[in-house]
Amino acid sequence: MPPDGGCPYDERIVRIDLHSHSTASDGTDPPAEVMRRARGAGLDVIALSDHDTLAGHDEARRALPPGLTLVPGMELSCRLDGHSVHLLAYHVDPAQAELAEQLHAITTDRLRRGRDMVAKLRELGVDITWEQVAAIAGDAVVGRPHIARAMVAAGAIASPAQAFTPDWIGPGGRAYVSRYALDPERAISLVSAAGGVSVLAHPGSPQRGWVIGDDAVERLARAGLAGLEIAHPDHDEAERRRLANLAAGLGLVSSGGSDDHGSLTGHRLGCETIAPGEYERLMSLAAGA
Ligand SMILES: [Zn+2]
Ligand SMILES: [Zn+2]
């Protein structure tokens, strides 16, 4: 019993993390393991949001521990004014033809781009092969982290993070190759047409080389964007305040998530969360929820 006779035990805090990755894209843990870790981290709700794929959801659902709710999500690759922008999408209908077509186009071009980057790295004297990268990726949607891991295995760099620099495969880097991505306004309307809701991922992350402007966010809000990911490990306190003001002004949901990639980011599920009230507001906007 609580010492004051109150009922704090009834008012348990619901913990919700709306951003995580598995081996369906560039995370290091299989979907089932991500679910197990999510519950272990004390979460009640977890979104699996792999890059450009819904492939991890079935395994995650089968492995769902009691008490944990899965929000089916993904992180769509978009490009705005030449910069990479990520859009989190939740509760989309996988059968929606146009969205499925676009996901296919994105993942197919990721393969082409992966091969091109490996060729460039080989020209720079890095002794890796496409077969090695493909073996690391397995069934996953191929991404730069898989190439980075091959570079570590070949002894070219000491840690995967070193690959994401101008020397190697960071944006504009010596072996960087651009790829097909969606215009974010189009992506938002595709997500809406598929019954889902969209949240702009890590909009204030200077580590990623570019911070999206307020006017662009306003445009996306007019196109149907539902929320901004404010609680994210890349955002400092000042950035969170800026984004919270922006979200409030535009009526957008204040979202949050850990962007856990397993050992690639350091296991951190639940380190960032969305408030329960904001989560309910977001889910109420998804027709497919
Ligand atoms: Zn992202
Ligand atoms: Zn992510």
Side-chain angles (χ1 to χ4, degrees), residues 12-20 34-35 37-39 41-48 64-72 90-91 256-258 269-270 272-276 279-280 282-283:
R12 59 190 295 271
I13 294 165
V14 178
R15 300 188 68 235
I16 306 156
D17 180 341
L18 287 188
H19 194 162
S20 72
V34 176
M35 295 303 109
R37 284 202 295 114
R39 195 59 181 144
L43 287 167
D44 302 288
V45 181
I46 178 73
L48 185 63
L64 210 58
L68 184 68
T69 298
L70 171 70
V71 174
Y90 304 107
H91 284 295
S258 64
L269 283 174
E272 302 283 0
T273 55
I274 174 174
Y279 167 71
E280 270 165 32
L282 183 65
M283 291 300 114

Side-chain angles (χ1 to χ4, degrees), residues 45-265:
V45 181
I46 178 73
L48 185 63
S49 53
D50 276 303
H51 295 285
D52 306 310
T53 184
L54 305 164
H57 297 160
D58 287 345
E59 179 185 328
R61 263 188 212 101
R62 284 194 301 271
L64 210 58
L68 184 68
T69 298
L70 171 70
V71 174
M74 68 174 154
E75 189 169 11
L76 273 172
S77 303
C78 302
R79 190 170 295 118
L80 183 64
D81 302 332
H83 299 281
S84 166
V85 168
H86 290 173
L87 189 75
L88 291 159
Y90 304 107
H91 284 295
V92 296
D93 175 4
Q96 214 271 346
E98 203 184 347
L99 183 62
E101 226 166 75
Q102 286 303 315
L103 290 179
H104 183 71
I106 292 171
T107 49
T108 304
D109 199 52
R110 274 177 172 276
L111 288 171
R112 190 268 317 160
R113 179 240 208 165
R115 287 177 192 274
D116 288 357
M117 283 196 289
V118 168
K120 283 194 168 194
L121 286 166
R122 290 185 62 83
E123 278 168 26
L124 293 167
V126 178
D127 189 19
I128 60 168
T129 64
W130 172 248
E131 286 66 33
Q132 287 164 343
V133 173
I136 290 170
D139 293 335
V141 169
V142 176
R144 284 181 295 160
H146 300 119
I147 295 174
R149 281 155 65 187
M151 291 172 72
V152 173
I157 50 175
S159 73
Q162 288 171 9
F164 295 88
T165 58
D167 275 346
W168 304 115
I169 53 174
R174 295 185 297 166
Y176 181 79
V177 176
S178 162
R179 66 182 167 84
Y180 178 65
L182 285 163
D183 169 79
E185 288 184 59
R186 173 145 189 245
I188 288 165
S189 68
L190 282 175
V191 169
S192 302
V197 280
S198 330
V199 169
L200 192 59
H202 42 72
S205 172
Q207 294 94 315
R208 293 162 195 267
W210 184 64
V211 171
I212 189 168
D214 290 9
D215 49 338
V217 174
E218 210 177 311
R219 238 180 20 248
L220 299 185
R222 276 201 301 273
L225 182 73
L228 293 184
E229 185 180 49
I230 296 175
H232 183 281
D234 285 359
H235 295 159
D236 62 19
E237 281 311 315
E239 189 56 34
R240 287 169 200 237
R241 275 196 300 277
R242 182 185 82 85
L243 291 171
N245 283 332
L246 190 57
L250 296 170
L252 297 171
V253 167
S254 295
S255 192
S258 64
D259 206 354
D260 180 288
H261 284 69
S263 61
L264 203 63
T265 48

